[in-house]
Amino acid sequence: MSCPACGQPLSALGTVPLRDFDGALFNRDGLYRHCPACGMARVETGLTDRQIAAHYADESLYVALSGVGVGGDTPEDRARYAHYLGFMQAHGLKAGTLADIGCSRGGFLRYLAAAAPDIASIGVDCDARSLKSLQQAGLDARVGDVFALPFAAGEADMLSYFHVLEHLYGIDGALAEAARVLKPGGGLLIEVPDAARYFAPETHVGPMFWLAMKEHVNHFTPAALGAALARNGFGIAAIDRSSQPMKGGKFYPSLLVLARKGAGVSADLDKGEGFAAQFAADTGAMRQAAAEIAASPAGPLCFWGIGLEFFALHGYLTPLLGGREVRLLDRNPSKQGLMVDGVPVEDPSGVPAEGNLICCSYMAAPQIVGQALALGWKREAIQCLP
């Protein structure tokens, strides 16, 4: 298989047991491949972009979440939006029509309406549920497909794709559609997680945090993103690499670029180093955590925080459990009642403080531990992921 960014051969790194709620699309294994030439990683799941779009439109919990890329209005979101706008203004993007593709709940559009009224913003997303509040607020929000945008040729001065391209197999198709919609000289703004810095001390949130984001089928380095843009007639006019805030004092590695048709591409963009070794280290650390939890003292295993970290652990842990009792706890009402292997997610306040409690959140671990102690859990019964 060739690299979808630069066209060079990909090497196989290994298969990760990606897991999700019962019946969810991404409840499947993923084969990770890596390109030594540009540093890109691609995850093969057997899915199509049409299936993935339906996942976001119909079954995904994104509409109820507040993580990076879901259009929220937390202090961390606002800091990120200010960073985007500062980057735009520094490179002359101060007025005109901007279509934010994959806008979700539209936090960036709301921010622009207040902070940059000379920019006429339009939100586009495949999830009509996320767009309702934008439409109710009088903002232009349209249901649309990244491969068939609801615009005429040459209609937009700017297109933004913040945390979109990592979710798409058809990178070329999406960029071709962007080229159709942009005016001559228009700006293409893209942000993706910077795979070259997944394992840097400031942004390595915990083992498999970045690798186990099951909806991320692409992992871009600057060199990989530059190559993908170049093969579609775009060049990087400006690039910004920074660490942007998430919850719990954590940071994500941001790769933000401004691309234009025909602009130059630097030949020395970072392709990252040691991705294969770090992949082995992260997956090995999660296997070890699973083995240690399986060896916990007798009694129920109660997992608090049924999200990314839990599912990364779950794929390795389940084969080790035998018939051991498992309970799943989460304070998010959108998750309560959902099933994992037939086990329902429960409100922690309604579960007896008995057995072993595993805190499955890198960001909210202190809060979970504090809440567990208040509910009567003993400190020695609580374990946290490494």
Side-chain angles (χ1 to χ4, degrees):
M1 180 179 179
S2 61
C3 175
C6 73
Q8 296 300 306
L10 292 173
S11 59
L13 296 180
T15 298
V16 170
L18 302 173
R19 294 295 178 262
D20 205 337
F21 296 104
D22 291 356
L25 183 69
F26 280 95
N27 204 347
R28 59 184 63 224
D29 292 352
L31 173 60
Y32 283 65
R33 297 185 183 272
H34 179 250
C35 178
C38 71
M40 181 166 181
R42 164 61 66 92
V43 188
E44 297 177 21
T45 60
L47 298 171
T48 67
D49 281 320
R50 184 178 296 276
Q51 289 173 302
I52 293 171
H55 164 76
Y56 293 123
D58 299 328
E59 66 178 79
S60 176
L61 281 170
Y62 269 36
V63 69
L65 300 178
S66 59
V68 172
V70 297
D73 190 38
T74 66
E76 294 83 4
D77 288 320
R78 291 191 292 275
R80 182 163 50 93
Y81 303 150
H83 182 71
Y84 295 161
L85 181 57
F87 179 77
M88 292 166 59
Q89 291 174 334
H91 298 286
L93 303 180
K94 300 179 180 180
T97 300
L98 178 143
D100 187 24
I101 313 303
C103 69
S104 191
R105 291 176 294 158
F108 184 53
L109 302 182
R110 300 174 194 273
Y111 182 87
L112 284 180
D118 289 340
I119 297 175
S121 57
I122 303 168
V124 178
D125 202 278
C126 64
D127 182 1
R129 300 167 301 172
S130 292
L131 299 177
K132 284 183 180 178
S133 63
L134 280 173
Q135 295 163 342
Q136 291 167 353
L139 296 171
D140 192 344
R142 309 177 188 180
V143 176
D145 186 326
V146 70
F147 303 110
L149 296 174
F151 303 109
E155 184 175 347
D157 297 293
M158 297 170 273
L159 293 174
S160 59
Y161 294 76
F162 299 132
H163 296 280
V164 172
L165 293 190
E166 65 265 35
H167 298 259
L168 303 175
Y169 282 114
I171 301 167
D172 290 345
L175 291 177
E177 180 66 352
R180 181 189 71 82
V181 167
L182 275 175
K183 292 180 179 178
L188 179 61
L189 291 156
I190 296 172
E191 186 190 35
V192 294
D194 188 344
R197 294 190 295 122
Y198 280 177
F199 310 106
E202 185 178 36
T203 53
H204 186 235
V205 178
M208 292 192 70
F209 184 80
W210 298 112
L211 297 177
M213 288 191 171
K214 51 191 174 293
E215 293 96 346
H216 290 192
V217 299
N218 299 313
H219 300 270
F220 290 98
T221 64
L225 184 55
L229 287 163
R231 66 187 282 157
N232 287 282
F234 289 96
I236 294 178
I239 185 169
D240 180 272
R241 302 174 75 187
S242 63
S243 298
Q244 292 298 311
M246 299 190 295
K247 291 182 177 180
K250 305 293 186 181
F251 295 86
Y252 76 89
S254 167
L255 172 58
L256 178 63
V257 304
L258 167 63
R260 298 184 188 276
K261 295 178 186 178
V265 177
S266 172
D268 60 354
L269 293 174
D270 186 7
K271 66 177 184 180
E273 298 293 341
F275 189 94
Q278 291 291 348
F279 176 92
D282 262 24
T283 54
M286 195 57 77
R287 289 180 188 274
Q288 179 62 31
E292 292 174 359
I293 290 168
S296 297
L301 290 174
C302 300
F303 299 89
W304 188 329
I306 311 305
L308 183 154
E309 299 94 318
F310 166 76
F311 286 117
L313 170 70
H314 175 62
Y316 295 110
L317 179 61
T318 300
L320 307 178
L321 292 180
R324 192 156 181 186
E325 182 183 356
V326 169
R327 302 193 78 161
L328 308 177
L329 318 179
D330 201 292
R331 293 175 65 88
N332 185 340
S334 297
K335 296 180 181 180
Q336 291 167 11
L338 297 178
M339 301 276 192
V340 180
D341 293 342
V343 178
V345 179
E346 303 176 79
D347 186 330
S349 63
V351 174
E354 300 172 352
N356 308 275
L357 181 66
I358 297 90
C359 170
C360 298
S361 173
Y362 295 135
M363 297 185 198
Q367 292 89 341
I368 289 175
V369 170
Q371 292 164 9
L373 293 172
L375 288 173
W377 288 91
K378 296 180 180 179
R379 186 62 185 86
E380 59 269 23
I382 302 174
Q383 300 172 256
C384 292
L385 293 182

